[in-house]
Amino acid sequence: MKQLRALLKGSLLFLCFIYSITALQATTISAAPTGGIAIEGEIKPGDYKKFLLFRLDLFLKSKVVGNHVFLDSPGGNVEEALEFAEFFSTYLFSTYVLDGKSCFSACTIIWAGGVERNLERTGRLGFHRLSFKEKELDIQKTKSALTPANLKVIAFFKEVGFPNSIIEKMNETAPTDLFIIDLRWLINQDLITAISYQPIFLDVVEKRCGVNPTTAPFKSNQSYTDDIKVKFSKWLDCAEKVKDANRELQHAKTMRELNIKVHPSR
């Protein structure tokens, strides 16, 4: 499995999204008060493995680990962020940026990995194009190093259904700057549904659960009625059942790939 093999890599790309000249805080991975796992601070090499070990330890202690990730990060190592994002996409995680929190630069890759992506009213996303962490004045060397990584990031964004307009804004924004997105901007641009769900995930869920009942109010700028809220709650419950079924399929596939046999209890 790609995600597990990645843990054995001896080195990672020394690439980073730079957003500020101020020092960044170390990553903290902890149990979120509302359930799930919180990832805060700069994303550094080794954090993906740290996350997997923390999640395993949490499971061994409580037997309950929510597939919800809450992000508050200025960015960091791109290759590490892609490891997180691919894992979250494969195992159908939901990602969140809560009110007052920010997810900038490489953090947006992690957020994009969620099959359900949540941005609360005062939460913020920040995008810009890739850059070296160190100063590099050789243009050709910079181009040869950044181009493959940039293509990999763009390919992932496209795979998980990010709107082209946001990808274009990312590429137009200098590494020393940020293109900020919040919920109001997404609604005004009619992008809230497109960015909130991976398209393939949404297509599969709607086959089982019907059309997401919140889609119409977002498009028409109408307020939510109690009836819509009840229907959406039922839709979310149905979507969780679809995710659980698919996680079981993925888990079985992973066991086969790793040649691990699960023996029935005696």
Side-chain angles (χ1 to χ4, degrees), residues 124-161:
R124 299 187 302 159
L125 301 172
F127 298 84
H128 59 184
R129 62 179 175 266
L130 223 58
S131 176
F132 269 123
K133 186 175 181 179
E134 292 183 330
K135 289 184 178 180
E136 178 55 66
L137 301 180
D138 187 320
I139 294 175
Q140 290 304 316
K141 182 178 179 181
T142 300
K143 181 178 179 181
S144 63
L146 289 182
T147 298
N150 192 51
L151 290 174
K152 190 174 181 180
V153 170
I154 292 173
F156 181 77
F157 277 143
K158 288 182 177 293
E159 177 188 332
V160 298

Side-chain angles (χ1 to χ4, degrees), residues 9-28:
K9 288 183 179 179
S11 61
L12 295 169
L13 288 176
F14 197 53
L15 293 169
C16 180
F17 280 123
I18 306 300
Y19 88 103
S20 173
I21 59 173
T22 43
L24 302 176
Q25 296 180 346
T27 311
T28 58

Side-chain angles (χ1 to χ4, degrees), residues 13-77:
L13 288 176
F14 197 53
L15 293 169
C16 180
F17 280 123
I18 306 300
Y19 88 103
S20 173
I21 59 173
T22 43
L24 302 176
Q25 296 180 346
T27 311
T28 58
I29 298 174
S30 60
T34 54
I37 297 176
I39 300 175
E40 302 170 295
E42 181 188 7
I43 307 302
K44 296 182 178 180
D47 282 341
Y48 172 62
K49 180 179 180 180
K50 179 180 175 182
F51 165 82
L52 292 180
L53 293 174
F54 176 84
R55 190 166 182 266
L56 176 61
D57 183 61
L58 200 63
F59 173 76
L60 294 175
K61 289 178 178 177
S62 65
K63 302 297 181 183
V64 177
V65 181
N67 294 293
H68 304 276
V69 173
F70 301 87
L71 298 164
D72 185 16
S73 169
N77 185 278

Side-chain angles (χ1 to χ4, degrees), residues 209 213 228-240:
C209 309
I228 290 176
K229 291 177 182 178
V230 170
K231 288 180 179 178
F232 184 51
S233 179
K234 292 180 179 178
W235 188 88
L236 287 176
D237 289 341
C238 181
E240 283 299 322

Side-chain angles (χ1 to χ4, degrees), residues 111 114 116-118 125 127 160-163 166 181 185-186 191-198:
W111 187 77
E116 291 179 276
R117 302 180 285 242
N118 302 273
L125 301 172
F127 298 84
V160 298
F162 250 51
I166 294 179
I181 288 176
W185 184 89
L186 290 171
L191 291 175
I192 186 66
T193 301
I195 205 171
S196 295
Y197 299 95
Q198 289 191 23

Side-chain angles (χ1 to χ4, degrees), residues 1-8 48 52 82-88 90-91 250:
M1 180 180 168
K2 183 178 179 182
Q3 288 79 13
L4 295 178
R5 290 199 304 267
L7 298 180
L8 303 177
Y48 172 62
L52 292 180
L82 282 167
E83 297 282 10
F84 275 105
E86 289 167 356
F87 180 84
F88 294 161
T90 299
Y91 288 96
Q250 183 59 44

